[in-house]
Short mmCIF file of all heavy atoms in Angstrom, two decimals:
data_model
loop_
_atom_site.label_atom_id
_atom_site.label_comp_id
_atom_site.label_asym_id
_atom_site.label_seq_id
_atom_site.Cartn_x
_atom_site.Cartn_y
_atom_site.Cartn_z
N TYR A 1 41.05 83.84 155.01
CA TYR A 1 41.11 82.76 155.99
C TYR A 1 40.42 81.53 155.42
O TYR A 1 39.62 81.54 154.53
CB TYR A 1 40.35 83.16 157.30
CG TYR A 1 40.99 84.25 158.03
CD1 TYR A 1 40.75 85.64 157.62
CD2 TYR A 1 41.85 84.04 159.12
CE1 TYR A 1 41.40 86.64 158.26
CE2 TYR A 1 42.45 85.11 159.76
CZ TYR A 1 42.23 86.34 159.41
OH TYR A 1 42.81 87.39 160.04
N THR A 2 40.79 80.40 156.04
CA THR A 2 40.12 79.11 155.73
C THR A 2 40.12 78.25 157.03
O THR A 2 40.71 78.69 158.03
CB THR A 2 40.83 78.41 154.55
OG1 THR A 2 40.06 77.32 154.12
CG2 THR A 2 42.25 77.91 155.02
N ILE A 3 39.46 77.14 156.89
CA ILE A 3 39.37 76.27 158.03
C ILE A 3 40.19 75.05 157.67
O ILE A 3 40.07 74.40 156.63
CB ILE A 3 37.90 75.78 158.28
CG1 ILE A 3 37.05 76.95 158.50
CG2 ILE A 3 37.79 74.76 159.36
CD1 ILE A 3 37.26 77.71 159.85
N CYS A 4 41.10 74.64 158.58
CA CYS A 4 41.92 73.39 158.41
C CYS A 4 41.01 72.16 158.30
O CYS A 4 40.23 71.98 159.25
CB CYS A 4 42.92 73.26 159.47
SG CYS A 4 43.89 71.74 159.38
N PRO A 5 41.06 71.38 157.23
CA PRO A 5 40.23 70.22 157.13
C PRO A 5 40.60 69.12 158.19
O PRO A 5 39.85 68.16 158.40
CB PRO A 5 40.37 69.74 155.69
CG PRO A 5 41.74 70.38 155.33
CD PRO A 5 41.93 71.62 156.10
N GLU A 6 41.76 69.18 158.82
CA GLU A 6 42.20 68.21 159.71
C GLU A 6 41.71 68.46 161.13
O GLU A 6 41.14 67.66 161.82
CB GLU A 6 43.78 68.13 159.68
CG GLU A 6 44.30 67.06 160.63
CD GLU A 6 44.65 65.69 159.90
OE1 GLU A 6 44.67 65.74 158.70
OE2 GLU A 6 44.82 64.73 160.61
N CYS A 7 42.01 69.70 161.64
CA CYS A 7 41.71 70.08 162.96
C CYS A 7 40.55 71.03 163.17
O CYS A 7 40.09 71.20 164.34
CB CYS A 7 42.95 70.58 163.71
SG CYS A 7 43.48 72.21 163.12
N GLY A 8 40.13 71.69 162.13
CA GLY A 8 38.97 72.60 162.20
C GLY A 8 39.31 74.01 162.63
O GLY A 8 38.47 74.82 162.78
N ARG A 9 40.61 74.31 162.80
CA ARG A 9 41.10 75.64 163.20
C ARG A 9 41.05 76.58 162.04
O ARG A 9 41.43 76.24 160.91
CB ARG A 9 42.48 75.63 163.79
CG ARG A 9 42.54 75.14 165.21
CD ARG A 9 43.92 75.27 165.75
NE ARG A 9 44.70 74.10 165.07
CZ ARG A 9 45.79 73.63 165.53
NH1 ARG A 9 46.37 74.10 166.64
NH2 ARG A 9 46.36 72.63 164.93
N GLU A 10 40.62 77.82 162.32
CA GLU A 10 40.76 78.85 161.34
C GLU A 10 42.15 79.40 161.25
O GLU A 10 42.81 79.54 162.27
CB GLU A 10 39.81 80.01 161.72
CG GLU A 10 39.79 81.19 160.76
CD GLU A 10 38.76 82.32 161.17
OE1 GLU A 10 39.18 83.03 162.08
OE2 GLU A 10 37.73 82.38 160.62
N HIS A 11 42.66 79.59 159.96
CA HIS A 11 43.99 80.14 159.83
C HIS A 11 43.97 80.99 158.52
O HIS A 11 43.19 80.83 157.64
CB HIS A 11 45.04 79.01 159.84
CG HIS A 11 44.90 78.04 158.68
ND1 HIS A 11 45.63 78.08 157.60
CD2 HIS A 11 44.05 76.97 158.55
CE1 HIS A 11 45.33 77.11 156.75
NE2 HIS A 11 44.38 76.39 157.37
N THR A 12 45.01 81.81 158.43
CA THR A 12 45.16 82.65 157.28
C THR A 12 45.84 81.83 156.17
O THR A 12 46.53 80.88 156.38
CB THR A 12 46.04 83.88 157.54
OG1 THR A 12 47.30 83.41 157.95
CG2 THR A 12 45.42 84.80 158.61
N VAL A 13 45.51 82.25 154.91
CA VAL A 13 46.14 81.68 153.72
C VAL A 13 46.63 82.76 152.85
O VAL A 13 46.06 83.86 152.80
CB VAL A 13 45.19 80.70 152.95
CG1 VAL A 13 44.82 79.50 153.83
CG2 VAL A 13 43.88 81.43 152.52
N ASP A 14 47.63 82.42 151.98
CA ASP A 14 48.08 83.32 151.02
C ASP A 14 47.52 82.91 149.71
O ASP A 14 48.01 81.87 149.11
CB ASP A 14 49.61 83.22 151.03
CG ASP A 14 50.26 84.23 150.03
OD1 ASP A 14 49.52 84.79 149.16
OD2 ASP A 14 51.52 84.43 150.10
N LEU A 15 46.57 83.62 149.20
CA LEU A 15 45.85 83.24 147.95
C LEU A 15 46.77 83.23 146.76
O LEU A 15 46.70 82.40 145.91
CB LEU A 15 44.65 84.18 147.68
CG LEU A 15 43.30 83.84 148.20
CD1 LEU A 15 42.23 84.80 147.81
CD2 LEU A 15 42.92 82.42 147.85
N GLN A 16 47.72 84.17 146.74
CA GLN A 16 48.70 84.26 145.74
C GLN A 16 49.48 82.92 145.57
O GLN A 16 49.64 82.38 144.50
CB GLN A 16 49.59 85.38 145.83
CG GLN A 16 50.57 85.57 144.67
CD GLN A 16 51.38 86.83 144.74
OE1 GLN A 16 51.11 87.78 145.48
NE2 GLN A 16 52.50 86.84 144.04
N GLU A 17 49.92 82.51 146.74
CA GLU A 17 50.68 81.23 146.78
C GLU A 17 49.88 80.05 146.26
O GLU A 17 50.34 79.20 145.58
CB GLU A 17 51.20 80.99 148.22
CG GLU A 17 52.07 79.78 148.35
CD GLU A 17 52.51 79.56 149.79
OE1 GLU A 17 53.03 80.65 150.35
OE2 GLU A 17 52.39 78.50 150.32
N ILE A 18 48.61 79.99 146.65
CA ILE A 18 47.73 78.93 146.24
C ILE A 18 47.49 79.01 144.75
O ILE A 18 47.49 77.98 144.06
CB ILE A 18 46.40 78.94 147.05
CG1 ILE A 18 46.67 78.67 148.52
CG2 ILE A 18 45.39 78.00 146.45
CD1 ILE A 18 45.49 78.91 149.42
N LEU A 19 47.27 80.15 144.21
CA LEU A 19 46.93 80.32 142.86
C LEU A 19 48.12 80.15 141.93
O LEU A 19 47.91 79.80 140.74
CB LEU A 19 46.28 81.68 142.59
CG LEU A 19 44.92 81.88 143.21
CD1 LEU A 19 44.45 83.32 143.08
CD2 LEU A 19 43.85 80.88 142.75
N GLU A 20 49.32 80.31 142.41
CA GLU A 20 50.57 80.15 141.68
C GLU A 20 50.73 78.70 141.15
O GLU A 20 51.34 78.48 140.09
CB GLU A 20 51.78 80.59 142.43
CG GLU A 20 51.95 82.00 142.47
CD GLU A 20 53.14 82.45 143.41
OE1 GLU A 20 53.75 81.58 144.11
OE2 GLU A 20 53.44 83.66 143.46
N GLY A 21 50.14 77.79 141.82
CA GLY A 21 50.26 76.35 141.44
C GLY A 21 49.56 76.06 140.12
O GLY A 21 49.82 75.08 139.48
N GLY A 22 48.61 76.93 139.71
CA GLY A 22 47.92 76.79 138.50
C GLY A 22 46.69 75.92 138.49
O GLY A 22 45.96 75.95 137.53
N SER A 23 46.51 75.04 139.53
CA SER A 23 45.40 74.21 139.47
C SER A 23 44.45 74.45 140.68
O SER A 23 43.73 73.49 141.08
CB SER A 23 45.85 72.67 139.49
OG SER A 23 46.64 72.45 140.65
N ALA A 24 44.50 75.61 141.22
CA ALA A 24 43.67 75.97 142.44
C ALA A 24 42.20 76.08 142.01
O ALA A 24 41.87 76.51 140.93
CB ALA A 24 44.18 77.21 143.03
N ASP A 25 41.40 75.63 142.88
CA ASP A 25 39.91 75.70 142.73
C ASP A 25 39.47 76.29 144.12
O ASP A 25 39.59 75.56 145.09
CB ASP A 25 39.42 74.30 142.47
CG ASP A 25 37.91 74.20 142.74
OD1 ASP A 25 37.17 75.18 142.92
OD2 ASP A 25 37.38 73.04 142.75
#
């Protein structure tokens, strides 16, 4: 999970999708 930086809501994320971009931190 993470927090949306715009509205502050908690939501799920797909780490694999984020890391596939190659520049994830």
Side-chain angles (χ1 to χ4, degrees):
Y1 293 83
T2 191
I3 303 294
C4 176
E6 181 97 15
C7 68
R9 281 183 285 202
E10 180 180 78
H11 62 99
T12 60
V13 294
D14 182 345
L15 271 183
Q16 182 174 344
E17 184 179 309
I18 292 169
L19 296 174
E20 283 175 352
S23 62
D25 163 12

